[in-house]
Amino acid sequence: MAPKFPPPFPVANSTLSFWRTELHALDSHRSTPELPSHVDILIIGAGFSGVSTAYHLLDNDNKQQPSIAILEAREACSGATGRNGGHIKPDLYFNVSKYAAKYGTAAAAEVALFEASQVYAMKKLVEKEKIDCDFILTRAIDATVDAQIAKESIAAYTKLSKEGVVEVINDVQYHTQKDAEGVSGVKGALCAFSFTAASIWPYKMVMHLLNLVVSKGVNLQTHTAVTEISETRDSDGFYTVKTKDRGSMKAKKIVFATNAYTAGIAPQFTNKIVPVRGICSRIVAPKETTPLLTTSSSVRYGHMLYDYLIPRADGSIVVGGAKQDFWNSLPHEWYGNVDDSKLIEPAKNYFDGYMQRTYRGWENSGAKVDKVWTGIMGYSSDYMPYVGHIPGKPGQLVVAGFSGHGMPLILRSTKGIADMILKDLPFKLTGVPRLFKVTKERMESQKNEILSQEKLARL
Ligand SMILES: Cc1cc2nc3c(=O)[nH]c(=O)nc-3n(C[C@H](O)[C@H](O)[C@H](O)COP(=O)(O)OP(=O)(O)OC[C@H]3O[C@@H](n4cnc5c(N)ncnc54)[C@H](O)[C@@H]3O)c2cc1C
């Protein structure tokens, strides 16, 4: 039985992430003292999903733009986007075989291609809008130190390469044990895979876009938590949206960009999108004594157990993961847990000495933890995001459930959302993978794969 948890809402006093140490002027902004009474489109949530939805809705020369408001429970970009690992790392081989076995090769290939294309879509966005956000196009190197995972990864990669159906596999390079440690720097690596990826300062990227849309007339209301939405629309076609302490407003269309917290205001997502707490850190080291890291990386220790790392141009490193210290035995520390005001107790010291014990040549680097923070991911019960119209709720759309992996998925998913709203484009013409569609079947399924993955991690 899945553990029960209360309807999820963002909590106050979140831990301070490195990304939120340089705050933008719009961080706690309210465009107007009162909420607008009516809007065409209401976006709930000012993370990457909500803000990029607004960006796409206004990225055109239309004379008549829709009226748009964004309601955000806390500060802008203070959810997962402002607290993540800054890693834009598409999954080009690791889960692709599993998806192919479950959904067929064509559907799996669609997801892999979508993820790969996002790295370049992000690069294009950053260049087009001249966003100062430390974007770096790089190679990511996955190193595996667990024999079983190594065996499975090599088998998956070999199968995909032979079949040639998943085109993006050509971007993946496999390194055998002979070179794995030398290529990845990870001590004891049994194999390694490299592929195109990127790193970014996610808060700066989102706040730049937010500034852009606010300057085009979007009404931003931070510190405004939505608590309830009317079951149906009134005779003029508006839903009534209630907030915790700022009254109510009306909206014709609603986009739930609420990730982990979606079920708090859209109860049909209870057990479909589950809040999962994660932990991340920034490590600093004196430049003179540290080997230069030129790629981002991941270290795999077992099923669902991995760390992810990005090196930054300032010499610091952002590392997240630490699941070995809490995932197997303590589901209450992560499953259904929205408390990012506290660290994950059993994992709070995980990053001390991390570089010294994990990476070759770092033993005497003097690298030390600068910051540790937590954040709340929205795990989907089938590990596929929910993107598009919500069945049975005309005018309501969702873009959420990125299962801790939103950075290579969100930008083009929200373009799909904008096209569905503005052009009435059917889902299948949006370019969003078919597996992300919010079907009745997915909504009615009782399966919860999050906990079965957790069991797998114990093996
Ligand atoms: C520790 C950690 C590390 C991660 N590392 C990576 C990584 O390296 N690479 C990667 O791809 N992904 C990573 N992720 C996942 C990634 O951050 C998310 O997939 C992505 O940021 C989701 O963006 P979002 O806008 O959908 O959600 P969020 O950024 O969480 O935004 C949702 C917003 O909705 C608001 N909200 C919710 N409910 C309400 C309400 N009722 N009323 C008003 N506002 C509401 C929230 O306050 C929040 O600001 C990580 C996540 C965490 C927590």
Side-chain angles (χ1 to χ4, degrees):
M1 266 274 278
K4 287 212 160 72
F5 53 89
F9 285 94
V11 306
N13 304 319
S14 54
T15 46
L16 178 65
S17 74
F18 165 65
W19 310 122
R20 290 188 45 79
T21 52
E22 290 179 27
L23 296 184
H24 191 280
L26 294 183
D27 195 65
S28 286
H29 184 74
R30 287 178 178 170
S31 299
T32 50
E34 305 293 330
L35 300 184
S37 64
H38 293 73
V39 289
D40 295 323
I41 305 166
L42 170 66
I43 298 168
I44 309 174
F48 189 13
S49 295
V51 173
S52 60
T53 297
Y55 171 76
H56 292 306
L57 284 169
L58 296 177
D59 186 29
N60 55 56
D61 298 325
N62 293 351
K63 288 230 163 58
Q64 205 148 22
Q65 300 282 14
S67 57
I68 302 173
I70 302 179
L71 301 190
E72 165 53 54
R74 306 196 296 202
E75 300 83 9
C77 200
S78 64
T81 314
R83 344 179 53 76
N84 67 23
H87 205 176
I88 306 171
K89 179 180 173 250
D91 186 342
L92 305 185
Y93 75 98
F94 190 74
N95 285 313
V96 181
S97 287
K98 290 174 207 153
Y99 298 155
K102 192 170 167 195
Y103 302 109
T105 321
E110 223 171 75
V111 177
L113 187 60
F114 188 72
E115 295 205 13
S117 72
Q118 218 95 202
V119 176
Y120 292 102
M122 291 293 290
K123 177 174 177 286
K124 215 167 139 190
L125 173 80
V126 167
E127 287 169 356
K128 179 181 169 200
E129 301 299 351
K130 301 184 176 51
I131 309 179
D132 178 10
C133 61
D134 296 355
F135 179 88
I136 301 173
L137 186 68
T138 183
R139 298 286 286 178
I141 302 191
D142 276 0
T144 299
V145 296
D146 175 86
Q148 181 60 26
I149 295 291
K151 203 170 133 196
E152 288 174 22
S153 309
I154 295 165
Y157 169 79
T158 310
K159 189 167 182 291
L160 291 170
S161 300
K162 265 196 197 135
E163 287 169 351
V165 189
V166 181
E167 217 179 288
V168 293
I169 200 72
N170 292 325
D171 184 49
V172 183
Q173 185 177 11
Y174 162 47
H175 300 279
T176 63
Q177 187 170 3
K178 176 171 81 65
D179 292 334
E181 192 172 307
V183 166
S184 67
V186 173
K187 295 179 196 174
L190 300 172
C191 65
F193 298 87
S194 83
F195 45 93
T196 306
S199 62
I200 199 166
W201 187 312
Y203 176 83
K204 286 192 178 175
M205 180 268 295
V206 167
M207 295 309 287
H208 185 105
L209 295 181
L210 187 59
N211 196 36
L212 209 69
V213 298
V214 167
S215 71
K216 288 184 179 182
V218 167
N219 188 312
L220 170 67
Q221 297 287 335
T222 60
H223 301 284
T224 305
V226 172
T227 50
E228 205 183 322
I229 290 150
S230 59
E231 277 298 313
T232 53
R233 294 182 286 191
D234 64 19
S235 53
D236 295 321
F238 286 92
Y239 286 103
T240 302
V241 177
K242 282 194 190 150
T243 69
K244 191 170 164 216
D245 41 26
R246 303 203 54 224
S248 59
M249 61 178 287
K250 295 198 171 223
K252 264 200 180 130
K253 294 216 154 94
I254 299 177
V255 179
F256 294 84
T258 37
N259 208 28
Y261 313 97
T262 306
I265 46 174
Q268 63 272 53
F269 286 96
T270 305
N271 292 325
K272 299 264 153 263
I273 299 177
V274 173
V276 164
R277 190 160 67 151
I279 189 161
C280 206
S281 70
R282 177 177 187 246
I283 292 174
V284 291
K287 278 193 184 128
E288 317 75 62
T289 51
T290 54
L292 181 68
L293 290 173
T294 54
T295 66
S296 63
S297 61
S298 283
V299 188
R300 295 192 185 276
Y301 306 95
H303 285 283
M304 299 299 288
L305 305 179
Y306 55 89
D307 298 324
Y308 42 90
L309 172 152
I310 60 162
R312 292 181 27 76
D314 65 4
S316 70
I317 298 143
V318 174
V319 190
K323 285 182 182 166
Q324 292 99 296
D325 280 4
F326 64 93
W327 193 263
N328 293 350
S329 51
L330 298 164
H332 65 274
E333 285 287 358
W334 55 274
Y335 188 92
N337 193 324
V338 289
D339 193 359
D340 59 5
S341 74
K342 294 192 184 70
L343 297 181
I344 298 177
E345 202 53 33
K348 69 178 185 193
N349 299 320
Y350 178 83
F351 302 104
D352 294 342
Y354 179 82
M355 294 308 290
Q356 287 86 336
R357 68 178 185 265
T358 312
Y359 285 85
R360 209 162 79 174
W362 282 74
E363 294 78 4
N364 301 314
S365 61
K368 59 178 195 318
V369 170
D370 165 56
K371 272 196 177 44
V372 184
W373 61 90
T374 49
I376 312 300
M377 302 171 274
Y379 269 45
S380 135
S381 57
D382 60 6
Y383 283 94
M384 289 296 153
Y386 288 93
V387 180
H389 292 280
I390 302 177
K393 291 285 178 186
Q396 294 190 11
L397 297 93
V398 63
V399 53
F402 291 101
S403 305
H405 186 63
M407 300 309 283
L409 293 171
I410 290 172
L411 188 64
R412 290 195 53 211
S413 293
T414 53
K415 170 77 173 102
I417 291 282
D419 287 344
M420 284 182 242
I421 294 177
L422 289 181
K423 303 179 189 162
D424 225 357
L425 210 62
F427 182 92
K428 65 173 182 245
L429 298 182
T430 58
V432 177
R434 69 190 89 166
L435 298 175
F436 298 2
K437 190 174 178 186
V438 194
T439 59
K440 210 160 160 276
E441 196 188 352
R442 285 181 80 195
M443 294 304 287
E444 284 170 3
S445 167
Q446 296 299 310
K447 269 199 202 146
N448 182 338
E449 294 176 28
I450 306 167
L451 288 167
S452 53
Q453 288 297 324
E454 178 263 334
K455 276 193 208 108
L456 206 56
R458 293 177 205 219
L459 298 175

